């Protein structure tokens, strides 16, 4: 009887340990995407406005338009450099 209880105890311990790890991973903060407007991109890359517009034409930056303004995904801008 003691062996059966010990096995149950070990099984429950393993279950709770794995469940605890899973809960910790779920609570880890998800990195937020950072969107930059054109002036922020110019400052980040330290380029002129003309160079910025030339890069916009030839690069594959991810773009989002909100209210007539364009925003560029920071990670996509940095990847292209």
């Amino acid at each position: 009887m003691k062996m059966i209880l010990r096995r149950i105890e070990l099984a429950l311990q393993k279950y709770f340990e794995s469940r605890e790890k899973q809960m910790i991973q779920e609570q880890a903060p998800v990195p937020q995407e950072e969107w930059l407007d054109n002036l922020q991109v110019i400052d980040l890359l330290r380029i002129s406005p003309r160079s910025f517009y030339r890069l916009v034409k030839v690069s594959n930056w991810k773009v989002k338009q909100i209210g007539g303004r364009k925003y560029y995904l920071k990670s996509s801008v940095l990847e292209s450099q």
Side-chain angles (χ1 to χ4, degrees), residues 17-48:
E17 286 174 359
S18 67
R19 184 69 180 126
E20 182 180 16
K21 286 180 185 178
Q22 182 183 10
M23 289 175 67
I24 289 171
Q25 289 175 347
E26 289 172 356
Q27 292 176 353
V30 177
Q32 294 288 330
E33 295 179 332
E34 188 174 353
W35 293 88
L36 308 172
D37 65 9
N38 57 353
L39 294 177
Q40 292 171 320
V41 174
I42 289 170
D43 288 342
L44 177 68
L45 299 179
R46 299 178 188 203
I47 57 176
S48 69

Side-chain angles (χ1 to χ4, degrees), residues 51-68:
S51 296
F52 167 76
Y53 289 110
R54 193 173 27 239
L55 281 173
V56 167
K57 289 180 183 179
V58 298
S59 65
N60 292 328
W61 295 343
K62 293 184 180 176
V63 181
K64 169 170 70 171
Q65 189 166 355
I66 300 175

